[in-house]
Amino acid sequence: MASKLWSILGLCVVFAVVLMLIHDLAVQRDYYDSSALLSSLDYQMIIRSMKYGMVLVIMVFSAFFLSEILQDWRIHPMQYLLVGSALSVFYLLLLSFAEHIGFVAAYVLGAVACIGLLWWYLRFVLKNSGGVYAMVGLLCLAYAMMFVLLRMQQYNLLVGSCLLFAVLFAVMYCTRHVDWYALGGGNQARKHEVKEMKRFREVDREY
């Protein structure tokens, strides 16, 4: 499980780079005024949405990882890669379609396309209808909240911070009884360490 965690963290770094590249592309398109349909404000909303992209990827990956621990799901790092790719492609779809049909329509189209793709794919990965619908519900909620945050210019930081705090609380609550030593394969090492400490204490008492 420890190696799985490191693989997930590595994938997060990869997708952070991918989102930065898409972000730079959006900035470039805005600079050259590539679309007559989109205003500079629309481009700024697209750019701002990409800043939430990494939060979305981490949230979905965290949900997968916690489900592996709590629900005994088996998800391969390659499947994490494909899911993260779908989440990243959303922003490319948003940018490309928005230049032709507008921001709101492109956002809805991209979200529906990515959620539909992940719904279809997760049916084969999870083989658990309850888990599939739970993940789809999480994605729908995430995209809806991100759209609301993009529309809220004055309170987006406040609302976003509160949401992150709520997510952190949920993770801590769900994992409060998890034995991380056992998951990381370090339980035996921990027992050996405790045993050695007791032995040294007994030796000190003899002297």
Side-chain angles (χ1 to χ4, degrees), residues 26-159:
V27 172
Q28 184 180 18
R29 304 285 289 184
D30 181 25
Y31 179 79
Y32 289 106
D33 197 13
S34 301
S35 174
L37 181 62
L38 290 182
S39 64
S40 180
L41 180 60
D42 292 326
Y43 273 113
Q44 290 302 315
M45 291 185 66
I46 295 174
I47 293 170
R48 283 171 52 201
S49 70
M50 295 174 189
K51 295 179 180 179
Y52 296 113
M54 202 60 231
V55 177
L56 179 62
V57 172
I58 293 175
M59 184 176 66
V60 173
F61 281 7
S62 299
F64 279 161
F65 186 72
L66 290 177
S67 298
E68 285 195 79
I69 296 173
L70 302 175
Q71 302 294 330
D72 293 328
W73 290 1
R74 296 185 62 187
I75 305 175
H76 193 272
M78 187 64 188
Q79 294 167 329
Y80 277 92
L81 174 64
L82 293 174
V83 170
S85 299
L87 296 174
S88 300
V89 166
F90 163 77
Y91 297 96
L92 192 58
L93 291 175
L94 175 61
L95 175 61
S96 57
F97 276 102
E99 293 183 344
H100 298 280
I101 61 176
F103 173 79
V104 176
Y107 190 95
V108 174
L109 178 62
V112 170
C114 290
I115 292 174
L117 175 63
L118 290 174
W119 169 77
W120 171 80
Y121 181 66
L122 291 177
R123 289 169 56 202
F124 301 97
V125 174
L126 302 182
K127 299 178 181 179
N128 181 345
S129 59
V132 172
Y133 287 115
M135 293 305 303
V136 169
L138 175 64
L139 288 171
C140 291
L141 179 62
Y143 280 116
M145 291 305 302
M146 186 166 63
F147 185 81
V148 172
L149 287 174
L150 291 174
R151 289 293 184 178
M152 298 174 61
Q153 297 184 0
Q154 187 174 1
Y155 298 102
N156 58 354
L157 179 60
L158 175 62
V159 175

